Amino acid sequence: MENLIERGAGVLCHISSLHGKYGIGTIGKEAYEFADFLRRAHVKYWQILPLAQTGYGDSPYSSVCCNSGNPYFIDLEALKDEGLLDEEELASCEMPAGDIDYGALFNTRFDVLRLAYARFDITNEEFVSFVESGEFDDYAVFMSLKARYSGSFNEFPDSYKYAENLAIKEFRETNYKSDYCFWIFLQFVFKKQWAKLKAYVNALGIKIIGDLPLYVAYDSADVWARPELFCLDEDLNPTEVAGVPPDYFSPTGQLWGNPVYNWDLLESEKYEWWINRIRKMRETVDVIRIDHFRGFDRYYSIPAGAETAEVGEWKQGPGLKFFLQLKKKLGNVPVIAEDLGVVDYGVEKLRQRTGYPGMKIMLFAFDGKPSNPYLPKNIQENAVVYSGTHDNATALGLLKRMTDSQFTVFKTRLRAALRDEGVAVPFKTRREAARALCVCVLASNANLAILPVQDILGLGDEARMNTPSTATGNWKFRLTQAPSRYDTAILRKMVKEFNR
């Protein structure tokens, strides 16, 4: 296997974080403007988080259907241009700038999208073909059932909970126009709008890096439709759930709660479900970042019902067998392996054998140990280096929380790292040091260097995207405007200086 990722610079900014009038970033004009910003800065990669429709908690890593598109991202102005919304309805969707209010979105956005659906001709040939493809059949039935019964799928009446064929067929027919086609309409619109945006981005010479969570949510169309692929009991309740053990960041570990896979059954089916998932993702983005890659080597399994992740055990994942089957079916797929956290010999060996680049986080580099794997001098070409990710503090946020003595030590270590790369960047203040950290990322040997948009703009803790192990207050960050000409010029200068 080979690394298919060319040298370049990237920017991490999820669609939800784009600015705009409608309460959350969309794949409308602001997305095109952001792509233009990347082009002007000579950036080759745009990294996003999962695009799927979010469920409880609003996390893009917990979706109602792993292959879906988030209806919140639909460009409402395009619907108006198509005659599916009027000016007044569009204006009703406007929301204050600033952080995303998911409660307000949930209570209003789907009502407006139903108005658009009511004016849409579900008999048009293109839509009928989309419905008949069956791609979103499970999703549409699942969402229709949730609209009827609410709660988790294990609270549906038994004939629906266990997806009995005759009951599902009758339900689909009874609710075909009122609900079933509405949910498929949302995916139809999303896919068309996304394909148009992706074509525009690619035409600018920019590739999109998408994010593939290892696990799916329990209350999802994925688990409901294929429960045998997961470790569930006869009542379809999880017997084992996913997470990670205690570490420096979390003394009780992280209890994610996602059901773990029945890897033996998946192997007997030649990993068809997983390969189909990656095939669909490959149609959506250019490069796939596999979140929690280590779970393919060994995964941490926690007994269902445990209150913390302290009582789990490591179990063997599919390993190289899966990736050989993936290559057999799909050829070489451009992949980034998120190999952070508890990384042992097995994970590193698997990553090396696949040829996928791993991830390095520059914020973790300055503990004073010369062997620190995140120090620029220790980073190899086949890697993707970040200042930080969506799970970390912003560079400025972290530096502002340091004491004066801690910051003095940090400056000394950062200057030494820059000297090792043959780079001289004068800095004194925390804001200047955050910028110098970005320079250090771009100066590294890694083929791909990615900066979160928050670090490019010099934003602090108020702009943090996610704090792991916290249930509330996450995924809300939004830009208030597009990056300025000054920000663009600074980034372009850095990209050019380091031949990215």
Side-chain angles (χ1 to χ4, degrees):
M1 298 185 189
E2 58 183 307
N3 173 27
L4 302 175
I5 298 173
E6 65 172 322
R7 180 175 174 82
V11 172
L12 169 59
C13 180
H14 193 35
I15 300 299
S16 65
S17 295
L18 297 173
H19 69 290
K21 297 190 293 186
Y22 303 108
I24 192 170
T26 74
I27 50 182
K29 64 181 181 182
E30 287 80 18
Y32 289 82
E33 289 174 4
F34 194 81
D36 291 338
F37 150 69
L38 298 178
R39 177 188 60 79
R40 289 193 296 270
H42 297 178
V43 167
K44 295 179 183 176
Y45 294 89
W46 179 0
Q47 181 171 336
I48 58 175
L49 304 185
L51 287 168
Q53 180 176 337
T54 53
Y56 178 77
D58 308 304
S59 168
Y61 295 88
S62 182
S63 171
V64 297
C65 175
C66 65
N67 297 318
S68 64
N70 194 333
Y72 290 157
F73 297 163
I74 287 174
D75 178 13
L76 300 174
E77 292 181 357
L79 295 183
K80 175 188 167 294
D81 292 343
E82 294 171 29
L84 299 178
L85 293 176
D86 63 29
E87 287 279 6
E88 186 176 340
E89 290 159 351
L90 184 63
S92 74
C93 295
E94 294 186 14
M95 300 176 73
D99 285 355
I100 300 165
D101 183 341
Y102 284 104
L105 276 173
F106 181 77
N107 289 328
T108 61
R109 189 57 45 88
F110 287 105
D111 290 340
V112 172
L113 291 170
R114 279 193 176 273
L115 292 175
Y117 169 67
R119 299 187 180 106
F120 179 75
D121 178 12
I122 65 171
T123 67
N124 87 68
E125 187 176 339
E126 187 181 10
F127 182 72
V128 170
S129 177
F130 188 78
V131 174
E132 292 178 348
S133 73
E135 180 179 0
F136 289 103
D137 178 63
D138 291 336
Y139 160 84
V141 173
F142 178 78
M143 293 306 298
S144 299
L145 284 165
K146 284 185 75 68
R148 169 76 64 86
Y149 296 105
S150 68
S152 175
F153 78 83
N154 65 354
E155 298 169 359
F156 294 168
D158 279 358
S159 60
Y160 299 142
K161 170 181 174 178
Y162 294 99
E164 296 174 5
N165 287 336
L166 287 177
I168 295 301
K169 182 175 183 291
E170 182 181 350
F171 180 84
R172 185 191 296 110
E173 291 172 353
T174 303
N175 297 274
Y176 185 80
K177 187 172 181 180
S178 61
D179 284 297
Y180 179 82
C181 279
F182 167 67
W183 295 106
I184 292 190
F185 162 77
L186 296 182
Q187 296 307 314
F188 176 75
V189 171
F190 179 90
K191 287 198 75 169
K192 287 188 71 172
Q193 291 188 355
W194 178 258
K196 183 180 176 182
L197 173 63
K198 182 177 182 294
Y200 182 84
V201 172
N202 290 164
L204 298 178
I206 299 166
K207 293 181 178 179
I208 298 176
I209 302 173
D211 208 327
L212 183 71
L214 175 64
Y215 293 111
V216 299
Y218 169 66
D219 188 28
S220 65
D222 310 297
V223 175
W224 172 74
R226 293 296 308 274
E228 68 277 13
L229 299 181
F230 303 87
C231 293
L232 310 179
D233 62 22
E234 61 184 13
D235 294 321
L236 304 188
N237 294 310
T239 57
E240 306 170 46
V241 296
V244 291
D247 59 17
Y248 173 81
F249 299 100
S250 178
T252 59
Q254 295 180 36
L255 180 61
W256 298 335
N258 311 72
V260 299
Y261 293 103
N262 180 348
W263 282 115
D264 289 339
L265 181 58
L266 282 160
E267 182 182 4
S268 73
E269 296 182 355
K270 297 183 178 180
Y271 307 109
E272 180 182 359
W273 182 90
W274 251 103
I275 289 171
N276 186 51
R277 186 182 177 196
I278 292 179
R279 179 186 290 112
K280 290 181 178 180
M281 181 101 182
R282 195 179 181 188
E283 295 169 359
T284 306
V285 299
D286 303 297
V287 180
I288 299 172
R289 172 193 178 271
I290 297 181
D291 188 57
H292 200 59
F293 176 81
R294 75 138 303 122
F296 283 100
D297 175 55
R298 290 190 305 147
Y299 61 94
Y300 193 65
S301 176
I302 304 163
E307 294 185 3
T308 73
E310 297 170 280
V311 294
E313 62 176 312
W314 290 103
K315 295 188 175 182
Q316 195 63 44
L320 189 63
K321 291 180 293 185
F322 168 74
F323 294 102
L324 291 174
Q325 187 68 18
L326 176 66
K327 182 175 181 181
K328 180 180 177 181
K329 293 289 187 179
L330 301 184
N332 284 315
V333 178
V335 165
I336 296 169
E338 187 273 291
D339 55 350
L340 305 173
V342 181
V343 177
D344 53 27
Y345 173 74
V347 183
E348 181 59 20
K349 182 180 178 182
L350 178 61
R351 190 194 62 75
Q352 290 177 356
R353 294 183 73 180
T354 61
Y356 301 150
M359 289 175 52
K360 307 295 181 184
I361 308 300
M362 196 66 72
L363 286 174
F364 299 163
F366 305 105
D367 61 1
K369 298 176 182 177
S371 61
N372 186 306
Y374 303 120
L375 275 172
K377 67 179 182 180
N378 297 328
I379 296 175
Q380 305 299 314
E381 285 187 10
N382 190 28
V384 184
V385 63
Y386 297 76
S387 51
T389 73
H390 62 276
D391 281 334
N392 305 128
T394 68
L396 183 60
L398 182 67
L399 298 183
K400 279 187 170 182
R401 280 184 275 112
M402 289 182 178
T403 64
D404 288 346
S405 60
Q406 288 172 331
F407 181 56
T408 297
V409 172
F410 176 85
K411 286 191 292 185
T412 300
R413 292 171 179 170
L414 177 56
R415 288 185 179 119
L418 287 163
R419 280 197 304 272
D420 287 340
E421 300 307 301
V423 179
V425 182
F427 62 91
K428 291 183 179 180
T429 67
R430 285 166 165 78
R431 186 171 295 278
E432 290 167 346
R435 179 77 71 183
L437 184 78
C438 293
V439 172
C440 203
V441 170
L442 293 168
S444 72
N445 289 325
N447 269 344
L448 182 51
I450 296 181
L451 300 174
V453 69
Q454 294 96 319
D455 290 347
I456 293 168
L457 303 180
L459 302 177
D461 278 340
E462 77 284 353
R464 182 166 183 163
M465 191 65 165
N466 180 50
T467 303
S469 300
T470 60
T472 60
N474 298 313
W475 317 112
K476 294 182 175 183
F477 164 70
R478 286 183 73 207
L479 296 166
T480 55
Q481 59 186 23
S484 69
R485 289 183 179 181
Y486 173 78
D487 296 316
T488 305
I490 292 292
L491 180 57
R492 181 171 61 242
K493 181 181 178 182
M494 290 194 293
V495 169
K496 185 177 180 181
E497 181 177 354
F498 299 108
N499 192 30
R500 291 193 178 276

